[in-house]
Amino acid sequence: MTTTASLAAAPKDTEPARKDEIVTELGAVAAAATSTPAVKVSAAAAMPPAPTARRRAAWLDTLSDYAAKILPPVITVALLLGIWELASSQAGAALPPPSKVIADTKDLILDPFFNNGGNDVGMAWQLAASLERVLYGYSIAVVVGISLGVLVGQFAIAMRGLDPVFQVLRTVPPLAWLPIALAGFRDGNPSAIFVIFITAVWPIIINTSIGIRNIPNDYRNVARVVRLNGVEYFLKIMLPAAAPYIFSGLRIGVGLSWLAIVAAEMLIGGVGVGFFIWDAWNSSRISDIVLALFYVGLVGFALDRIVSWIGRWVARGTSVS
Amino acid sequence: MKLISTANQTHNREPRMSQSFLELSLVSMAFKTRQGLFQALSGVNLRVEKGEFVSLIGHSGCGKSTLLNIIAGLYRCTAGGVLLEGREVDQPGPDRAVVFQNHSLLPWLTAYENIELAVKKTSQGKRSKAQIREWVLHNLKLVQMEHAMNKRPEELSGGMKQRVGIARALAMEPKVLLMDEPFGALDALTRARLQDELLRIVANTGSTVVMVTHDVDEAVLLSDRVVMMTNGPAATIGEILDVKLARPRDRLALATDARYLAARKAVLEFLYQKQLKAA
C-alpha cells in the first residue's frame, strides 16, 4: 500500500486536497461500503425544491429527508443481493447464493458467543481476538509513530537521517515482515502484533511530520514571544496544530492494521477471524467465509469511523480561520 | 514651523548622556539567499522614548517588518544592536509583545483562552488563579470583547480577531508594544474604529508603541513620530517626522487641520517623490 505521500513534498496550499486523497485511499474499503458520494448525489436529486414542498407538513418533510438518505443504499444492497442470488442459483455455480449462506450460517449468526474450547468459538470471540491484536499493535504504532513523526517534523537533521529509511521500509508489504517477526519472537501472537505495528506506523509517522512542518510560523512566533518552554510548546501548540494531520495518519493506520491482521492470522493460526476464514476454506465451509467477510467489513468500517470521530472531536476548531 | 528633521539631527536632538528607553544602533540585517547575501537593512539608528508612539512607514519590501521583528527578537540582526532599558535584546519575550498582522490567534482556543495562555505564562509567581482570570477579563474589556470571550477565532470577524490580538499583547504588560501592520487586513471602516480605540487604549495605558504601517493617514493620526524608510536593498531611515498634534486626537477635527494635512503631505512626498518605487 502506498497510500501516503512522501515526507519531502508537502506544499501548503494543496494540503487540504492532499489530506482528502489520503483519507480516501485509506478508506477505499470503508468508503465503498458507505458509498457516501453516491448517496449524496441521489439525495440531492430526490429533493428538488418543489413549490408543493412548502405546503406539506413538517414531519412529512423530515420523513422524506430520511427516506432520501436511507433508500439509495438499501436499494443498492438489495440489487446486489438479487444479482448474487440469481447468479449463484444457476446450475453448477461454485459459490452459494445469499439464501444458502444465511441458512448455512444460522447457528453462527444466532449464537456469536458459544465457546467449545480451542478454535471452536463464536464469531464474537473470533473478532475479539483479532481486535485485541490490532489494539496492541496499533497502540504501539500510535505512540511510536507520533513520537517519530514529531522528531522528523521538528528537526531537519532527523528528517534527513530517517526519511530515506522510512521511505524504503514503508513499501515493504505487511506479510513480508511476518517470517522475520516469527524468527525474532519465536511465537505467533507477538509476531502478528508486530506486523500490525509495522503496517500502521508509517502513515502515522509521515502524516504527523507533515502536520508538524505545516504549523504556521505565526504560532511558533506567538510561542516564542510568550516564551513557552519545550513541553508547553509541544502540548499547547504543536499537538493541537498538527492534530488534523495526525488523525488522518491514525485513520489510515487503523485501516491498514485491520487489512493486515486478517492476512497475518491466516498464517499464524489460533483464534481470530483470519484463521477462521482459512479454516473454513480448508473445510470447504464457503458460507462461513462469506459471513466472516461480512463481519470483517463491518468491523473495519466501525474502526475507521471511530478514529475519524475521535479525530473530529479532538481537532475541532483547529482549522485555520 | 519645522516639521521634518533628518535622521542625523534626531540623534543629536537629546543629550547622549541619558539613555533612551529603546535604542537601535547601527542595526543591519542580511539574509542568506540563493543569489548570495541580501542586505535588507543597513545602519538603522533609532531612539524611542517611554510612552512614545512611533510608526515605521515605507514601501513594501523596505524592511520595516524586518526591523520590527528585530526589535521583537524574532530575528537577530547581523550587525548593530537593540537595547531596551539598557539591556540587549537577544530573544523574543513578553516585554516586547507583538500584535501580528494576521492576528495569529490559536484557532483551537477561545478568545479568553488565547489571552489566558499568554497571561498564565507571564504571570507565573506573580498572580493567583483568580487574579489571572481577572486580568484576562480586564484586557478583554479594554478592547470591548468580553461579550465574545468564549468564541473561537473562526467565529469572530477580522476586526474582532485583531482586538483579541491586541488584548493578548497588552495583557503581557509589555514595555514596548510592537504592531506589525495590525489593521492591514481590515476594511476601511473597521480600521478607523480600531485606530480610534487604539488611541484611547494607548492614552489610558501610556504604552510605548512601535507600529509598522503602509497607511499614511494611520501613521500620522496615531504617531508622535513617523519614521520613513528608504527603499531596499540596504534600506535605512530616510526621514523622521515629528507629528506635533495635541492628544486626544479627533479624526474628524484633524481632517481639516492644517498641521495634520502638512504632516500627511510630508509623508506622501517622501513616499511618492523621494522614494518612488517602480511598480
Side-chain angles (χ1 to χ4, degrees), chain A residues 36 45 53 72 127 137 139-140 168 184 186 220 227 240 246 259 284 295 300:
Chain A
T36 341
L127 289 166
S139 304
I140 302 170
V168 171
R186 298 170 189 281
R220 293 183 202 270
R227 287 203 186 142
I246 295 177
L259 293 183
S284 302
Y295 282 142

Side-chain angles (χ1 to χ4, degrees), chain A residues 225-274:
Chain A
V225 168
V226 180
R227 287 203 186 142
L228 296 182
N229 62 35
V231 178
E232 289 166 331
Y233 177 70
F234 177 74
L235 291 176
K236 290 180 176 169
I237 309 274
M238 201 186 257
L239 280 189
Y245 292 87
I246 295 177
F247 271 93
S248 85
L250 293 181
R251 221 178 135 191
I252 301 170
V254 83
L256 292 181
S257 300
W258 193 240
L259 293 183
I261 188 65
V262 173
E265 283 176 347
M266 284 186 175
L267 296 174
I268 63 160
V271 179
V273 75

